[in-house]
Amino acid sequence: MNDESFEKIAKQIKQHNSFIITSHVNPDGDSLGCELALARFLKKLNKIVHIINHNETPKFYEFLDKNNEIQKYFPEKHNELIKNSDVIFILDTNQPNRLRSLEEPVLKSPAIKIVIDHHLEADNFADYYLIDEQATSTAEILYKLLLFMNNNLLDYDIAHPLYTAIMTDTGSFRFPRTDVETHQIIAHLLHFGVDPTEVYSKVYETWTPGRIQLLAKSLSTLKLEYDGKLAYMICTIKMFESTGTTEVETDNFTNYPMSIEGVQIGLLFNELDDGVKISFRSKGDIPVNELAKELGGGGHKNAAGARLFNVNLQDTIITTIQKAKKYLI
Amino acid sequence: MNDESFEKIAKQIKQHNSFIITSHVNPDGDSLGCELALARFLKKLNKIVHIINHNETPKFYEFLDKNNEIQKYFPEKHNELIKNSDVIFILDTNQPNRLRSLEEPVLKSPAIKIVIDHHLEADNFADYYLIDEQATSTAEILYKLLLFMNNNLLDYDIAHPLYTAIMTDTGSFRFPRTDVETHQIIAHLLHFGVDPTEVYSKVYETWTPGRIQLLAKSLSTLKLEYDGKLAYMICTIKMFESTGTTEVETDNFTNYPMSIEGVQIGLLFNELDDGVKISFRSKGDIPVNELAKELGGGGHKNAAGARLFNVNLQDTIITTIQKAKKYLI
């Protein structure tokens, strides 16, 4: 990533008028924050901008989008718009299949396609790529692009979603790659009046009592294997039913196996109606994405996932633990 | 806090040779981090330095002190040393009774006493005070003092405990008063090679399986009152016994009541052999330290505690909830 790659994308922005912004299925803080920050920046340049996602915005991120700038995709409503736009920004993913229902209309559109992302192994489908695998988040890259274009346009409405994006994608400034530059960017964003306590509370302090009960039940299933180097937890259909929760609410539950001293790999098994979803976490150099791949999934080195259909929970646990053994140090 | 107050303390450091550093009972990341950072800075100035605390260093902070620079106080070993030192630094508290067993020897010593702290309502017992109630941590103040004296002396061994102090006292950069300056300081400290992922893991990812089981049991007691504005959890003696844990391991459990949407006050009741310990948390402008005061305790506006002797758990819960009502918005 250098000034030249910024310059190319800045040029595309300057030369065009109508923009679509989208991101991956199940959007997170980084993807939503980047979409809103980029849209607001483009609007300040008097561009026409639409943010369209496969999913609705999760409830705990609605505070970012008070004016409903993000739309859920409907073919009849959006296909023409996507087809006729000048530029499509794909943020926080470089795999078109992760756009899910938007994949087809985006790929079919003659619009110029620009990917901004911090993930590995980009598919070759876009016209321009701005990728930095060393960045904590797509927001760090986008921040630099916006500053490169016009640092006078930054304001609270742009800084607020960028802060949220970086805060969530770094796990509150603790995940690998959080560095000097991350904190320098955050210091700059806070200048615009972003309130860290407010953002944290809006994102993380929105639990339901049912979710707490689910956590209690799931924690009580926690087991250790291989001299405490692997720890796992289970959420069963019965637990979801009795607490009135869904699988979405197990987000971050994998922190608990990982919090035990000596654990190298942490697993969460969610029993679903049609199979099992496994979340994988690891510390240090253990490539848990390789383990996930063995089971048909994928992800980052220290955080990955897999979704198995028509399998039994107990069998899946046994198989997964067996396969995990060779990754332990 | 201004250059003049820094100048006065810098002068005391320059003019003297032997230093004692101490802090409050049950030391936390901020107090231990500051003690080590200041001691290492003073040693670089060829001073004689001893860190002496009422308590042993908690296990999950031992990584800060690999060379055992911190000593637990023993009267026969340390009283002469304290009496004969030139200067005593009291860090992260301004109440001599919070030094517990060290209160008497410190107050009796003819040494010059210097308080560096970020808490309210300082007792009048020291010769010099460096207090900034707007700082997130004592470490932020100490960082500025060290920089004022000689910014060339900062290195990894000083930056590492200062980073740990600020990270823990801000709850990973989310508590009120975390601001532009906090992140600027952190960016500077990371320049010396501090690894945020390592520090987080050493401090927070050292749970025992028993502690997870205690959390599971305690979470299952969670109850809401006053239309969900107050939430509380309980840890009973039976839970501690069946999980092989102690009250110390309930640290941070109060995050869970606070994580529920709409909760303004969160409480944790720990049943102990001789009574009940209550931890109070609140959001925004609710002064939970006032509530704690009503029960004989005290603390910060958003985080306080009280320890009641010879009381019954159930009665204590009922009384506390009744008293809490008037603080809700």
Side-chain angles (χ1 to χ4, degrees), chain A residues 14 20 67 138 223 234 298 315:
Chain A
K14 277 176 210 149
I20 302 286
N67 298 323
T138 301
K223 285 197 181 58
I234 306 166
D315 294 347

Side-chain angles (χ1 to χ4, degrees), chain A residues 6 11-13 18 30 52 81 85 115 122-123 129 133 150 209 218 241 252 258 266-267 273 317 326:
Chain A
F6 286 135
K11 203 174 154 189
Q12 294 304 318
I13 291 174
S18 66
D30 194 20
I52 309 173
L81 206 60
S85 69
V115 167
D123 270 10
Y129 290 90
E133 293 153 7
N150 187 346
S218 183
E241 285 175 357
N252 288 333
M258 296 310 288
L267 304 171
D273 288 334
I317 294 172
K326 62 180 171 295

